[in-house]
Amino acid sequence: MTGWMPRALSALLFSLFLACGSTNDDPPNPGGEACEKYSFPLSDTSSASHVSSCSSTGCGNGENPPNSGMHCPTWLSCRSFDTEQPRCSWIHNLEHGHAVFLYNCPEGCPDEVAKLEAAQAQAAVGSNGVHRALVAPDSQLPKRFAALLWRRTYLMDAVDPDALTCLLALQDVDAGEPGLVCPP
């Protein structure tokens, strides 16, 4: 009868672990079973300070595209742009919990941009009724498409609407100033 105590203690600890869940940074299965095949890892924490000039080369966290870091004191309206926007500005949008959808299609890709705009329409809505997301071209992307939240990036060669839906399940989870409205 001397072996029952360690087994009972182990079973109790295991039960507590299952009841409390894991301790990683991601919420368990944020988009349900359909999202298990996607990975949206968190980037390292970096400074979220404002720079004095929106044309500063000191913006971002060193990733391409940047998903956090130093940024402009101003942000962009939440809409679809047809011209490239300063990265320093949309990083501020990310800090507010907005989603940013980017594309690099010098030859044009209207069908794929339409998919990004459809994802934009699925983003969380602010108290002003505006979907808190923007779409813009970005000629510096390492792939044709990117979907970003604060400290999260999903790169794609073709737009995957299911992946974007799953990423949006994490909107506001890690943002430094989550839930802030976005002007149209």
Side-chain angles (χ1 to χ4, degrees):
M1 287 271 158
T2 60
W4 75 270
M5 183 66 120
R7 284 193 304 268
L9 184 58
S10 294
L12 176 63
L13 290 174
F14 182 70
S15 296
L16 286 172
F17 173 78
L18 290 176
C20 294
S22 67
T23 59
N24 66 20
D25 291 338
D26 288 334
N29 205 6
E33 287 183 33
C35 294
E36 289 178 0
K37 63 182 173 180
Y38 301 107
S39 176
F40 311 113
L42 274 173
S43 295
D44 291 337
T45 303
S46 60
S47 172
S49 299
H50 292 166
V51 296
S52 59
S53 168
C54 288
S55 61
S56 172
T57 58
C59 291
N61 61 350
E63 294 184 21
N64 183 23
N67 60 19
S68 61
M70 296 178 64
H71 54 271
C72 295
T74 59
W75 54 92
L76 300 170
S77 60
C78 286
R79 62 184 185 88
S80 186
F81 295 89
D82 57 6
T83 59
E84 203 158 336
Q85 301 299 306
R87 285 178 161 200
C88 207
S89 294
W90 53 252
I91 293 170
H92 199 153
N93 287 77
L94 294 171
E95 182 188 33
H96 288 192
H98 305 163
V100 173
F101 302 107
L102 304 170
Y103 60 94
N104 183 8
C105 303
E107 73 291 348
C109 55
D111 293 343
E112 296 294 291
V113 171
K115 292 176 188 176
L116 295 177
E117 290 169 341
Q120 176 190 18
Q122 292 179 7
V125 176
S127 61
N128 62 350
V130 174
H131 289 276
R132 297 175 28 247
L134 66 95
V135 177
D138 186 319
S139 63
Q140 300 176 60
L141 292 179
K143 292 199 174 196
R144 292 184 70 206
F145 305 98
L148 297 94
L149 298 175
W150 184 255
R151 296 181 53 210
R152 295 182 191 272
T153 301
Y154 190 73
L155 296 170
M156 305 163 278
D157 290 318
V159 176
D160 181 342
D162 293 335
L164 300 182
T165 298
C166 292
L167 179 68
L168 285 171
L170 296 168
Q171 190 170 0
D172 288 319
V173 170
D174 305 298
E177 299 174 3
L180 294 181
V181 297
C182 189

